[in-house]
Amino acid sequence: MAEEAKQEREIKKQIERVAQSMPVGNGVDQGSEDEIHRIKVESGVKIGFALGSSKLGSKEKGESSKLVFDEVDDDKSKVKNSTKNGSSGGAGSLALEELMREDEKKKERINRKDYWLCEGIIVKVMSKVLADKGYYKPKGVVRKVIDKYVGEIEMLESKHVLRVDQAELETVIPQIGCLVKIVNGAYRGSNAKLLAVDTDKFCAKVQIEKGLYDGRVLKAVEYEDICKLA
């Protein structure tokens, strides 16, 4: 406002100087009017430019402020979402899951063996040496384990008892809902219910029954790590 008042005073002074230089008569001539108009226009442009600059600055300032507040709002939104996600799972739950994963890795290292036979499971005999005697792909129950790697197998149909190395035996996957024994890996020795099978990935989903891990669901256990219970 001070700048505008100063410029208006300057305009008045210029108009007065032009008026004083005009000849005395009935009024100002056309040239003098043009001169006065020119001074007003020039001054007006100057004032207009000054006001325009001020307006532009305000606009830029407004846009800048808007940008800052938008960024603040975005940050608040991110924090809100982060807090929401964190509250849904909970820091305690995440920590618990991490501890469970570490525990499973430790158990996997300890319980993963190169032998898996155990009493009470149903296995499939795959010995080609015994194929001539009709013992290729029949099933039997492991009644006894000898030196960890050899099983005494009672055949389900003939009731004959054979001694077969585990290299010539396969685990049997039952129907959904039946019980299985986890014969290798982290949860070795646990009984579980078969919930689903993934034939493409050769793995199964099971739920442990009884014991320390009762109710725990294992989403992807390899076929060779579980076997049908007799």
Side-chain angles (χ1 to χ4, degrees):
M1 292 176 65
E3 184 67 22
E4 186 176 351
K6 181 180 178 182
Q7 291 181 1
E8 285 200 6
R9 287 198 299 271
E10 184 65 26
I11 292 172
K12 288 180 179 180
K13 289 180 180 180
Q14 293 182 20
I15 293 174
E16 290 174 358
R17 285 198 297 269
V18 172
Q20 290 174 1
S21 63
M22 289 188 300
V24 179
N26 294 330
V28 295
D29 58 12
Q30 185 65 33
S32 298
E33 290 180 356
D34 292 342
E35 180 67 15
I36 295 173
H37 180 70
R38 185 178 65 80
I39 293 172
K40 288 184 178 181
V41 170
E42 288 179 356
S43 301
V45 170
K46 183 176 182 182
I47 294 173
F49 178 78
L51 292 175
S53 300
S54 176
K55 185 177 181 181
L56 181 61
S58 299
K59 183 179 179 182
E60 290 177 350
K61 183 177 180 181
E63 291 178 350
S64 177
S65 300
K66 182 181 179 182
L67 179 60
V68 171
F69 283 114
D70 287 344
E71 291 175 353
V72 171
D73 290 339
D74 289 342
D75 291 339
K76 287 182 179 178
S77 178
K78 291 177 182 178
V79 172
K80 183 178 180 181
N81 292 334
S82 176
T83 305
K84 184 178 179 181
N85 293 335
S87 61
S88 62
S93 299
L94 293 176
L96 181 59
E97 289 177 4
E98 183 63 27
L99 287 174
M100 289 174 61
R101 282 194 293 267
E102 291 299 324
D103 184 50
E104 286 184 352
K105 289 179 182 178
K106 183 178 179 180
K107 291 200 297 287
E108 177 70 21
R109 290 193 299 268
I110 295 173
N111 295 330
R112 175 66 61 180
K113 310 292 184 181
D114 61 349
Y115 54 89
W116 54 270
L117 281 178
C118 60
E119 296 178 3
I121 59 174
I122 296 177
V123 294
K124 184 183 292 186
V125 178
M126 302 297 293
S127 175
K128 292 183 179 181
V129 176
L130 299 174
D132 295 339
K133 298 181 180 181
Y135 295 113
Y136 183 67
K137 291 187 177 182
K139 298 174 183 177
V141 181
V142 179
R143 295 304 183 190
K144 185 179 180 180
V145 179
I146 303 170
D147 296 331
K148 299 180 180 179
Y149 298 94
V150 178
E152 283 191 357
I153 315 299
E154 181 183 342
M155 309 310 296
L156 294 179
E157 294 183 0
S158 65
K159 300 302 179 180
H160 292 169
V161 178
L162 310 174
R163 283 193 175 183
V164 185
D165 189 277
Q166 74 168 17
E168 296 178 316
L169 299 172
E170 282 186 358
T171 58
V172 174
I173 306 300
Q175 294 181 349
I176 304 298
C178 292
L179 291 179
V180 296
K181 171 79 78 174
I182 300 177
V183 297
N184 213 346
Y187 299 94
R188 182 188 183 107
S190 299
N191 292 346
K193 180 185 290 185
L194 183 63
L195 301 179
V197 294
D198 189 335
T199 55
D200 294 330
K201 297 181 179 179
F202 302 101
C203 63
K205 180 180 180 180
V206 301
Q207 183 177 27
I208 297 177
E209 293 198 345
K210 299 181 180 180
L212 182 61
Y213 305 104
D214 183 24
R216 181 170 297 183
V217 175
L218 311 178
K219 297 182 179 180
V221 182
E222 294 183 5
Y223 284 168
E224 60 187 17
D225 288 344
I226 58 173
C227 191
K228 181 180 180 179
L229 276 170

